[in-house]
Amino acid sequence: MATKDMSVGKPVKVLYAFAIPMIISVLFQQFYNIADSLIAGNFIHDEGAALAAVNAAYPVTVVFIAIGNGFGIGGSVVISRIFGSKQYARTKTANFTSLINIVFFALIFTLIGIFVCRPLLSLMNSKELGEEIFKQSAEYLDIYIYGLIFLFVYNVVSSTFQALGNSKTPLALLIFSTVFNVIIDIIFVKYLDWGVKGLAWGTFIAQGLASVISLIILLINMAKLPDDYTSQPDEGAPVEKAPTAKSKTLFENAYFSIGALKSILLISLPSILQNSTVSIGQLFVQGLVNSFGNANLVAAYGSAFKINYIIISIFLTISNAMATFTSQNVGGNHLDRAKEGLKGGLVSMIAIALVSTALYLIFAKQLIGVFVSDKNEEIISIGSKFLYILSPFYIIVCIKIIFDGFIRGAGDMAGFTSSTMTDLVVRVGLSFLFVKALGMSYESIWWSWPIGWVLGAGVSIVFYISKRWQKTSLKTL
């Protein structure tokens, strides 16, 4: 397994050599997420109901994806920090600890999901869309929830690869998984006529296979890391003494470390709280959209949300690369190098934002039209207006996200969480204020997004300028 020490080499070149495979990977990941909606809209006969059902269930799945990503963030920051300080034996221990941790929590959240998914659909006003749509959404989630262990393990394993500077292996696995998922989705839906349940089974099987393969590759290759230091950590880097013979107990050995677990949870729990809170906030917004009782509105919003998230996910991916880059360089006490990487990442992200805005303003209708085989004009009109409103503000959200990645990688989880929570509270709060209190149309919900982005970006920049991250960066281990 190729690993990459990101504390050497030209910062911007190192950052993007690492980030580009991740960007390609996330594009496949988004296609993976979009595939169910595309197939529902083009291959299921009752396409209006099927597309609305899949899109109505999507925010619930995003909550669990966010939780899995939160655990991945915690493991990756800790592993990359230890790896950056050249402590390879501890790197392996932290990896095994992260895997044990995620399996335990995957089982817990599977049990939770079994009991809460249908009530969540009800709270989201999904029954306002009709009994058939509610039934199909519930059946989709009933199958999806049993694959959570695959989803969680795959996210953590992918994050571990990236923490070690290897972004190519997750890309190869994701390409395989995505193509396989689309093929079996089409077989289940078009040829076996399983409907929305066929999409859920396709996701379950593809995620399961990708999870098992990725875990096997990681475990085989972790053995290739040396047990002892190949070089000494840089002066000033955080170093934790290896466990003594007396301390190597059930709770402190080569495969599990309570110290590593505490470090992982210290990063994971704020990330999970932040990610899941944002996703739960999205559940409330979805419920607000559902309350209009218009299946075409739900189909349009879900489709436009996924198209919008393609660009947002690219920004988030560069931000994750920024976090790993920052974490490794902070681990090696190269703070100026970390800041140089931030400048290069910011310039590139602004360029991507400008190009994305232009593309979405020009091709919004065509992009929404891909989701509906009969070119439903109402769905296309509603979805394209969502993109028209949001895309001019991509330059703002990309600035927010890159600074979020930097301060998260430096260990300032309070700054990271404050920025994201500001965006969330403003976005959800204004949506309900506009619709419920002021009686405005669903379009007012779209306008709450850029307002939240602007305020969230301001908070993130303030935390960076305050240099609080320099004080917290050495406290995460």
Side-chain angles (χ1 to χ4, degrees), residues 32 36 148 175 193 303 323 350 370 375 435:
Y32 190 102
D36 285 354
L148 281 186
I175 291 174
D193 198 25
S303 301
I350 290 174
V370 171
K375 306 306 176 188
V435 174

Side-chain angles (χ1 to χ4, degrees), residues 212-366:
V212 171
I213 293 174
S214 63
L215 180 59
I216 291 172
I217 293 174
L218 179 64
L219 293 177
I220 290 174
N221 286 280
M222 280 303 295
K224 297 180 181 180
L225 283 177
D227 290 326
D228 299 313
Y229 298 119
T230 57
S231 61
Q232 293 297 318
D234 293 327
E235 184 178 354
V239 177
E240 182 177 309
K241 292 181 179 180
T244 63
K246 292 183 178 180
S247 69
K248 289 185 178 181
T249 66
L250 175 64
F251 300 104
E252 200 72 44
N253 54 59
Y255 297 100
F256 183 82
S257 166
I258 194 68
L261 179 62
K262 288 179 180 178
S263 295
I264 291 169
L265 292 178
L266 181 66
I267 303 296
S268 293
L269 293 180
S271 298
I272 291 167
L273 178 62
Q274 175 259 324
N275 287 347
S276 60
T277 302
V278 169
S279 301
I280 290 170
Q282 183 58 34
L283 290 179
F284 284 107
V285 174
Q286 183 71 57
L288 197 59
V289 173
N290 292 350
S291 69
F292 285 90
N294 184 339
N296 283 341
L297 171 60
V298 175
Y301 171 66
S303 301
F305 178 89
K306 291 180 180 180
I307 292 173
N308 168 72
Y309 201 74
I310 292 174
I311 300 304
I312 301 300
S313 66
I314 292 176
F315 296 155
L316 289 171
T317 300
I318 298 175
S319 177
N320 288 338
M322 185 76 251
T324 300
F325 177 86
T326 302
S327 185
Q328 283 199 18
N329 280 282
V330 166
N333 202 30
H334 306 302
L335 301 187
D336 288 339
R337 178 180 171 82
K339 290 188 283 187
E340 186 177 347
L342 173 64
K343 293 177 183 178
L346 182 60
V347 170
S348 301
M349 284 184 70
I350 290 174
I352 294 171
L354 293 174
V355 173
S356 303
T357 297
L359 289 174
Y360 278 16
L361 290 176
I362 295 171
F363 298 109
K365 291 186 176 180
Q366 290 86 341

